[in-house]
Amino acid sequence: MRSTDIYLHFNGNSEMAFSFYRSIFGGEFIAAQRYKDVPGGDKMNDDDQEKMMHISLKITPYTTLMASDIVNKDDSNFGAGNNFHICLHAENEKDADKLFNALSNEGRIEMPMNKTFWGAYFGMCQDKFGIQWMINFTYPQTN
């Protein structure tokens, strides 16, 4: 495993929260992508299009704080305690699968491991103790 980061979920105010975090930790945003900028985002309602699909801020040389806004306001399961994931960055796809399979065993798969439009092999699960995990392997960029 390469690193572990914190991934937070907000109900439409991740940009405001991350401006606050940047005022405390300093640094620059590594990424700030809105739902309108991703494939299919143009089909969302106007309010959801402006929400953050992904925002990240490097807070130490080894830790990145990341977040997204939820787009389903009817999700009654969203709230304090389940509004975060621990994000593990794997060395390769095999390592990612090993981590994902072990953590999701007797738990719940939220998003199976799969190649994504943003160039990663990625999945989300909840372990048998209710902790939410993201497993990520970013493919090396080729030029």
Side-chain angles (χ1 to χ4, degrees):
M1 188 170 33
R2 279 192 272 161
S3 64
T4 303
D5 293 317
I6 304 127
Y7 205 103
L8 307 173
H9 305 285
F10 293 89
N11 196 6
N13 61 342
S14 65
E15 187 173 16
M16 182 186 319
F18 268 63
S19 292
F20 171 71
Y21 299 143
R22 187 171 74 176
S23 76
I24 294 168
F25 301 117
E28 294 299 319
F29 295 127
I30 297 168
Q33 301 164 308
R34 298 187 187 282
Y35 282 102
K36 69 181 178 183
D37 300 323
V38 303
D42 59 335
K43 295 177 178 76
M44 302 173 96
N45 69 52
D46 291 344
D47 288 339
D48 286 345
Q49 284 186 30
E50 291 302 319
K51 291 180 179 179
M52 284 293 170
M53 193 278 299
H54 178 77
I55 188 166
S56 59
L57 175 68
K58 195 122 186 114
I59 59 175
T60 77
Y62 309 103
T63 306
T64 302
L65 190 61
M66 300 179 285
S68 62
D69 288 316
I70 61 168
V71 292
N72 184 357
K73 287 187 178 181
D74 296 329
D75 187 355
S76 59
N77 295 323
F78 177 77
N82 70 352
N83 59 339
F84 70 93
H85 281 79
I86 299 170
C87 184
L88 304 176
H89 297 278
E91 293 286 340
N92 51 49
E93 283 187 22
K94 184 178 175 183
D95 185 35
D97 284 335
K98 182 179 175 183
L99 290 165
F100 185 84
N101 291 335
L103 288 165
S104 65
N105 185 35
E106 297 185 46
R108 182 171 57 89
I109 294 173
E110 297 173 9
M111 180 180 184
M113 293 300 300
N114 206 350
K115 294 180 179 180
T116 65
F117 68 86
W118 64 84
Y121 185 61
F122 178 84
M124 298 181 350
C125 66
Q126 186 177 99
D127 70 22
K128 63 184 175 181
F129 300 103
I131 302 301
Q132 299 180 120
W133 299 89
M134 293 176 163
I135 311 299
N136 186 71
F137 167 65
T138 302
Y139 295 103
Q141 293 189 3
T142 56
N143 292 342

